Amino acid sequence: MSLVVPPDLLGAALEWLRGLDGVRPERAGELLSDLRGRYPEVRMRLLWQREAATGEYHYDLLFPSPEGSVSLAFAPDRVIPWPLRGGQRSGEQLVLRVNGVDMTMERAVSVLDVLWEDTGLARRLMNAALVEEALATRHTDLSADRLQKAMDAFRRARGLMTPQATLRWMAERGLNHARLEEVVASEAAVAELRREVVDGRVEDFFAAHGEEFDRLRVVRLRYADPDRAAAVAARLRVGAVPPDEMEKDTDPVALAAEEMLAGVATCRMEANGRGDLVALFGAPAVDARAGQVLGPAGLPDGGFCVVRVLAVEPAVLDEVTRRLVEGRIFDDWLAEQRRHAHVEWFWGSRARTDELTTDLRA
């Protein structure tokens, strides 16, 4: 679908941009709803940046379409023209200074080598950018009443039940009230986007993938020694020990107590979603049933985990499961967006960034 431009749009948009002189981004975002209301058939996205030297804000109005984008900007004659705004002062490259030693952004990023080994952080960064892109072209303005309800829910979720607790929480994070409202409005907008993505899809998704939301009751043993973990997994597996020792060695509760008393393992009895176990143990957990042994599997902290499944509770579409299904649908939507996203990395070698991008699109 090509970008259709109403005859008077560019003139009206330019006049609107002129009116943003001296306006802060949060107010500019509010004003954009007026322009969108006049041209509801046109997708619009407002971009802004702050000039560190003067504190001035520069705005670009973007009109995206599948075939490309049109960008419109206006810069008053007293500010730096937009083509020069890519030039950065040295201070803008600093993250912190410790005992007189400057930590630049480039140096800080180079310390994050974990990004190349664990794609989780890179995926979160990319997801955040994709969500921001999706929100930028939607009408997400909150009325005062809706913002207050969102603020109340935000505070309840974090246990901020008194004004004093809220003020302490804000002070710890360097937030003023205006910035807190921005954070709350952003969360509310993301929640609305998620509702749009999952609307009408939960029941069909659960019908097709219900087993993935089963609850498995397990005995979980954690070891520091991989050899001990492997030996215990072997003892727990049916047929791994002589018949005369079978009952003793395959009783997971008795074995857990034995290992704990010996001081070589910690133990928990817990209920896990099947998806959590699949993330840890991979394919063997996909159809794990009562009596099955999973592991050992390495843990992020360097330990090793062995699990014996005690029982499987088939999933039902209650409120808890519904939230899990909605999360999966939204995650799948993000994965689809990543597969088609144009990604540019501004640090790291080409080989590393290409490999990481490929992993993120898988």
Side-chain angles (χ1 to χ4, degrees), residues 185-221:
S186 177
E187 283 204 359
V190 172
E192 182 63 28
L193 172 64
R194 176 168 164 154
R195 282 191 290 271
E196 288 182 18
V197 170
V198 306
D199 185 40
R201 301 175 58 191
V202 172
E203 286 72 15
D204 289 344
F205 191 94
F206 181 75
H209 305 276
E211 286 192 356
E212 298 175 23
F213 300 93
D214 291 346
R215 301 289 290 175
L216 280 67
R217 299 198 175 276
V218 304
V219 174
R220 181 188 291 254
L221 290 158

Side-chain angles (χ1 to χ4, degrees), residues 13 22 124 173 187 238 338 344 361:
R124 289 177 61 189
R173 291 157 178 80
E187 283 204 359
V238 175
R338 290 197 303 272
E344 295 178 89
R361 287 174 171 160

Side-chain angles (χ1 to χ4, degrees), residues 276-319:
D276 296 331
L277 294 177
V278 171
L280 180 58
F281 296 104
V286 170
D287 56 359
R289 295 291 180 261
Q292 189 164 339
V293 179
L294 302 173
L299 299 171
D301 63 2
F304 298 87
C305 179
V306 176
V307 157
R308 168 73 177 263
V309 180
L310 302 177
V312 176
E313 299 175 357
V316 294
L317 193 55
D318 54 18
E319 285 305 309

Side-chain angles (χ1 to χ4, degrees), residues 8-335:
D8 60 337
L9 172 61
L10 294 183
L14 181 57
E15 186 63 25
W16 182 84
L17 284 166
R18 288 175 179 272
L20 297 185
D21 190 12
V23 173
R24 294 181 60 83
E26 55 268 24
R27 177 57 179 159
E30 295 172 1
L31 294 173
L32 183 59
S33 61
D34 297 333
L35 187 63
R36 281 174 167 163
R38 293 162 58 187
Y39 303 94
E41 73 280 13
V42 179
R43 296 178 64 199
M44 303 180 192
R45 180 181 179 188
L46 184 64
L47 307 178
W48 61 270
Q49 67 179 115
R50 180 177 179 273
E51 174 57 43
T54 65
E56 296 275 359
Y57 290 95
H58 171 75
Y59 296 96
D60 284 83
L61 193 56
L62 200 65
F63 303 96
S65 74
E67 64 181 11
S69 299
V70 174
S71 177
L72 187 65
F74 171 76
D77 58 6
R78 70 177 185 281
V79 302
I80 299 174
W82 69 266
L84 301 181
R85 288 178 179 266
Q88 294 178 304
R89 293 170 173 264
S90 59
E92 294 180 72
Q93 292 290 331
L94 295 181
V95 178
L96 78 162
R97 179 176 290 130
V98 181
N99 294 333
V101 177
D102 291 342
M103 174 66 75
T104 65
M105 179 63 74
E106 182 180 6
R107 173 59 179 154
V109 169
S110 71
V111 172
L112 295 176
D113 270 347
V114 66
L115 186 69
W116 310 114
E117 301 167 5
D118 181 359
T119 59
L121 176 57
R123 185 176 293 107
R124 289 177 61 189
L125 291 172
M126 191 170 174
N127 285 349
L130 290 168
V131 167
E132 183 176 341
E133 178 195 18
L135 294 178
T137 57
R138 282 170 165 77
H139 296 268
T140 56
D141 297 328
L142 294 180
S143 66
D145 183 60
R146 289 181 62 198
L147 179 60
Q148 185 59 56
K149 289 180 179 178
M151 181 72 74
D152 293 342
F154 182 91
R155 291 175 57 191
R156 285 195 301 271
R158 290 157 179 80
L160 306 175
M161 308 309 294
T162 66
Q164 293 78 12
T166 303
L167 289 172
R168 284 195 300 272
W169 186 90
M170 292 167 60
E172 289 170 357
R173 291 157 178 80
L175 300 178
N176 57 25
H177 187 74
R179 179 58 184 142
L180 177 62
E181 287 189 348
E182 290 179 14
V183 172
V184 172
S186 177
E187 283 204 359
V190 172
E192 182 63 28
L193 172 64
R194 176 168 164 154
R195 282 191 290 271
E196 288 182 18
V197 170
V198 306
D199 185 40
R201 301 175 58 191
V202 172
E203 286 72 15
D204 289 344
F205 191 94
F206 181 75
H209 305 276
E211 286 192 356
E212 298 175 23
F213 300 93
D214 291 346
R215 301 289 290 175
L216 280 67
R217 299 198 175 276
V218 304
V219 174
R220 181 188 291 254
L221 290 158
R222 183 191 181 284
Y223 292 87
D225 181 357
D227 294 334
R228 184 73 179 229
V232 167
R235 289 175 63 188
L236 283 170
R237 287 190 169 93
V238 175
V241 294
D244 59 337
E245 297 181 19
M246 182 77 70
E247 183 176 348
K248 171 186 173 183
D249 282 59
T250 57
D251 180 346
V253 177
L255 181 56
E258 177 185 325
E259 295 293 278
M260 290 178 65
L261 290 173
V264 296
T266 59
C267 171
R268 295 202 308 266
M269 297 184 67
E270 58 189 22
N272 294 123
R274 187 180 295 277
D276 296 331
L277 294 177
V278 171
L280 180 58
F281 296 104
V286 170
D287 56 359
R289 295 291 180 261
Q292 189 164 339
V293 179
L294 302 173
L299 299 171
D301 63 2
F304 298 87
C305 179
V306 176
V307 157
R308 168 73 177 263
V309 180
L310 302 177
V312 176
E313 299 175 357
V316 294
L317 193 55
D318 54 18
E319 285 305 309
V320 173
T321 304
R322 179 175 291 274
R323 287 196 294 271
L324 294 173
V325 173
E326 290 174 351
R328 273 286 306 279
I329 293 172
F330 192 62
D331 287 344
D332 288 352
W333 177 82
L334 284 170

